[in-house]
Amino acid sequence: GTNGVPTSDGWIPSFEKILREHGNDDLDIYFAGGSNVVPRMFSDLMIDQLFAMLAFLFVSLFMWIQLGSVFLTICGMLQIIGSFILTLATWKLLGNNSFTFMHALVVYIILGIGADNTFVFADAWKQSRILPVAVGSLARRLQVSISRAANAMIVTSATTCAAFLFTAMTDLPVIATFGSFSAVVVGWNLLLVLTWFPAAVLVHERYFVQLFGGCCAARLCGCCCRVCVHQWGLERRPATEKVQAVGTLGMIQAVPVDESATSSQRCLGKREDKQDPDAKVQDQGKKEDLRIIERFFRNILFRFLEVRVVQVFVVIGFAALAITGVAMASSQVKLTTKSNTENFLKSGNYLQDTINIWLGTSDAFQSNDWDIKQYGSFCFGIDTADPIDRSGTDPLAQGEVLNMGKPNFNGEDLNNEAAQTAIVEACDRMGQLPSVAKHEESGEPETFCFMKDFKRYKEARSETFPVPSSTLVAELEAWRNDINCEGQGCYKNREETGVTQGRRDPSYYDDRTGYIAENGEMKFIFVSANLTLGYWEQHLDIITPEYTEWRDAADEVSKSLPITVMGLTNRLDWIAIMNALVKGVKTGVPASLGIAFIVLLLATANWRIASAATLSIMGVMASFFISFTASNWTLGMYECQFVQLTVGLAVDYVVHLAHAYNESTALTREDKMRDSLTKMGVSVFSGAVSTLGASMFLFICQFNVFYLYGSFIFFVILWSLVWALLFFPVLMMNVGPEGTSGDIKILRSLYDRIF
């Protein structure tokens, strides 16, 4: 294909055709190379991006169905996209120059949260048409709608942001900035849904619904007349009572319609019927007041859940579910990483299978003895307590060696003769470690120690070792440049028998042993040995003991020799990363739950509501780990990162219902819960469906990061919906507060004064 991208008539499809013709059930044929892997991976990435666009399309279509308006759908999607763009600008203004692949995944989070917030305000606006305080004035109606929606959205956004912000405390910059970035996106979306979208709804009401009327508005909305009339309260009137709604920001007045008007004018509706508003509010359960889904939550789901037998089964069933989830999380969800390297693509993907064979991680073809190996090192001259000075560096910058920091040297004299002898002895002890690989032919340890080779070089010429400290660096440079060297210990020579020669990689030796010198003074020395474990082994239970062996051996050498040694393996970076991720899982999830409880406590000023909501969120997390185990996942790099963010996604729906319960003016806990389901049930359901639908498109993606991310979002949202609509209502109908029960008096009195 052009520029390396596969096309239908390119050479890659031609190769694939040949393989299909010659392969069979007993023979799988793979072909690989730089010219194949890169374009094929790029092709898979482009296809995955197409599925990502389909997720946007699904949310847009569902939003259109729920809102009944193309205009409002466009405004709602612009609000979601705008919050991401504004976050990028804010991120840059705050001095953050990094934007990683992880940050781009926040788009899928804000798709669900943004759609949920949009539905909350739209539903508040639709429901406000039957409230007495909002009758007759768009200004008052807008004020009531913003007040109701803002209270709900601020509470949920605060809990979500708090859970995301906690990840900023993790030791890994990528995770920390991802959580912070997500919190900023949620904050911007909250601001836009309280400013931009209400303005859009007001424009829609004045210029689409009232000015043009029923059928005209329906055509401009992009939906059938009946749906638009039902969604926005444009109820038909008998022919003898036809009126035309003329909207101003103040009052709404009815103007008789001319019988000779056009068909579109004859289809005009009204804003309010003649029924007394107070009577209408008292009769909210009637069909003409509530939409179908609102009637479902109020009259069907609530009545089902208030049956005592159902409540018993719900409590027992969800308790068993939570206990099972906790047991699985503590026993079967191992806090270790996967064996071998993380796969970029799904298992079974042709390209991934090819890469696994190429890297030697395939079950069919294991690594050969000649393959490159991991190694451990003894380091001299480094400050073991604080080895690296990272001040002034950007840990997220990529491809810049200087951003790794500067070594902190301990100032020991590595030039003196005692240090030279000690380094050679340390090399001998290093070769005796059980984890060191042995040469297949000679059986000698595969060690790399320039000081030991330098000693052999000197002794082969009957020269003295150790050398004077003042000439050590100069003599080492002479040894490295002696291409006429013969015999033992040559660095390199014309016969290609030097210690650095005879290898596929010319830098193999220098990568494993060397030194840093300034003005003839040794600052840092390192020596290494190849390890027996496979190159791609990454399981913490296996590689951590290997590192521990080297660290302890270095400590023993430091005690017996006049020199300080630091031992490590070149898998230490992976161990540090995974330990930080595992620590984040162990501490992040409980801490995020605690933060959610505190935010709920402050928002509701009622400890019973906050406790019930937090208990439900804990149930969501426990149930999620059932899905985690059933999917045969283990805590690899991607999984650890995503688990830390699940609490931020799990809080929304329960918090919506908890807030609505707290705001209800009903007297009994049953009536409060019925009001909560009626007012917020449709928003919870709509938000969940939009997020679930968007995440399902990621299941089809070939890249593991997309697939896992979509799976995590799907299962967290699914369990959140189940616990919010079944367990939480039953819990509140039995232990929810009535009157001032559970109120924190100081907070309640403070809120009464403010609001």
Side-chain angles (χ1 to χ4, degrees), residues 347-606:
S347 298
N349 181 279
Y350 178 87
L351 180 57
Q352 185 62 56
D353 291 344
T354 304
I355 294 174
N356 290 342
I357 294 174
W358 199 5
L359 298 178
T361 61
S362 170
D363 293 334
F365 296 91
Q366 298 298 322
S367 299
N368 296 315
D369 292 336
W370 50 262
D371 282 343
I372 189 171
K373 298 176 181 178
Q374 299 280 10
Y375 58 90
S377 301
F378 279 175
C379 303
F380 310 87
I382 200 74
D383 185 350
T384 56
D386 185 21
I388 301 176
D389 177 13
R390 300 190 185 278
S391 59
T393 64
D394 181 1
L396 290 175
Q398 301 177 1
E400 299 181 28
V401 177
L402 294 177
N403 277 306
M404 297 174 65
K406 298 179 181 179
N408 286 326
F409 302 122
N410 60 16
E412 290 183 347
D413 185 1
L414 303 179
N415 287 56
N416 65 60
E417 297 179 10
Q420 297 175 42
T421 303
I423 291 171
V424 172
E425 185 174 346
C427 290
D428 291 336
R429 295 192 190 184
M430 178 180 66
Q432 298 172 8
L433 294 176
S435 61
V436 173
K438 302 295 191 295
H439 195 276
E440 189 178 48
E441 297 179 358
S442 67
E444 293 294 322
E446 296 182 8
T447 59
F448 304 88
C449 180
F450 77 88
M451 193 67 77
K452 190 173 182 178
D453 292 328
F454 178 64
K455 177 185 177 183
R456 293 165 58 204
Y457 171 81
K458 284 293 186 180
E459 291 175 345
R461 286 152 186 76
S462 300
E463 298 178 5
T464 303
F465 181 89
V467 302
S469 60
S470 60
T471 64
L472 175 61
V473 175
E475 293 195 42
L476 283 172
E477 290 300 315
W479 166 64
R480 293 168 61 91
N481 295 321
D482 185 6
I483 62 174
N484 295 316
C485 173
E486 296 179 359
Q488 298 289 322
C490 294
Y491 180 78
K492 61 181 177 180
N493 56 26
R494 300 182 189 279
E495 287 74 25
E496 299 288 327
T497 60
V499 293
T500 62
Q501 297 170 314
R503 306 178 189 274
R504 291 178 300 161
D505 184 359
S507 63
Y508 194 89
Y509 182 88
D510 290 334
D511 286 343
R512 284 162 173 73
T513 184
Y515 58 88
I516 297 175
E518 296 177 0
N519 301 321
E521 181 181 354
M522 285 286 186
K523 294 291 186 180
F524 174 72
I525 291 174
F526 67 100
V527 296
S528 306
N530 283 341
L531 302 174
T532 55
L533 289 179
Y535 185 83
W536 296 107
E537 181 60 65
Q538 292 182 330
H539 201 293
L540 284 185
D541 285 347
I542 298 175
I543 65 176
T544 300
E546 178 189 64
Y547 161 69
T548 303
E549 177 190 8
W550 279 76
R551 183 195 61 196
D552 294 345
D555 292 341
E556 290 298 321
V557 172
S558 298
K559 294 176 182 178
S560 59
L561 296 177
I563 195 169
T564 303
V565 185
M566 183 174 71
L568 51 85
T569 66
N570 68 332
R571 276 186 269 246
L572 179 58
D573 55 348
W574 180 256
I575 294 174
I577 289 172
M578 289 311 304
N579 280 335
L581 288 171
V582 168
K583 178 183 176 182
V585 173
K586 289 180 176 179
T587 62
V589 173
S592 296
L593 288 170
I595 291 174
F597 172 76
I598 293 173
V599 173
L600 283 168
L601 198 64
L602 295 174
T604 62
N606 189 292

Side-chain angles (χ1 to χ4, degrees), residues 312-327:
V312 172
F313 275 104
V314 167
V315 172
I316 295 176
F318 278 80
L321 198 65
I323 293 172
T324 303
V326 171

Side-chain angles (χ1 to χ4, degrees), residues 625-667:
F625 280 109
I626 296 178
S627 301
F628 188 100
T629 305
S631 300
N632 293 320
W633 290 331
T634 56
L635 286 176
M637 182 172 63
Y638 297 142
E639 292 86 349
C640 284
Q641 295 178 48
F642 297 152
V643 165
Q644 295 183 58
L645 303 171
T646 50
V647 176
L649 297 174
V651 301
D652 271 14
Y653 306 138
V654 170
V655 172
H656 274 318
L657 294 175
H659 173 75
Y661 182 99
N662 190 48
E663 293 292 309
S664 174
T665 57
L667 299 179

Side-chain angles (χ1 to χ4, degrees), residues 723-740:
W723 279 81
L725 295 182
L726 296 178
F727 177 78
F728 182 74
V730 170
L731 183 64
M732 296 303 288
M733 280 189 277
N734 287 274
V735 300
E738 294 178 337
T740 60

Side-chain angles (χ1 to χ4, degrees), residues 100 155 187 191 197 214 229 246 367 381 391 399 403 422 468 483 568:
T100 66
V155 174
L191 180 62
F197 194 70
V229 164
V246 180
S367 299
S391 59
N403 277 306
I483 62 174
L568 51 85

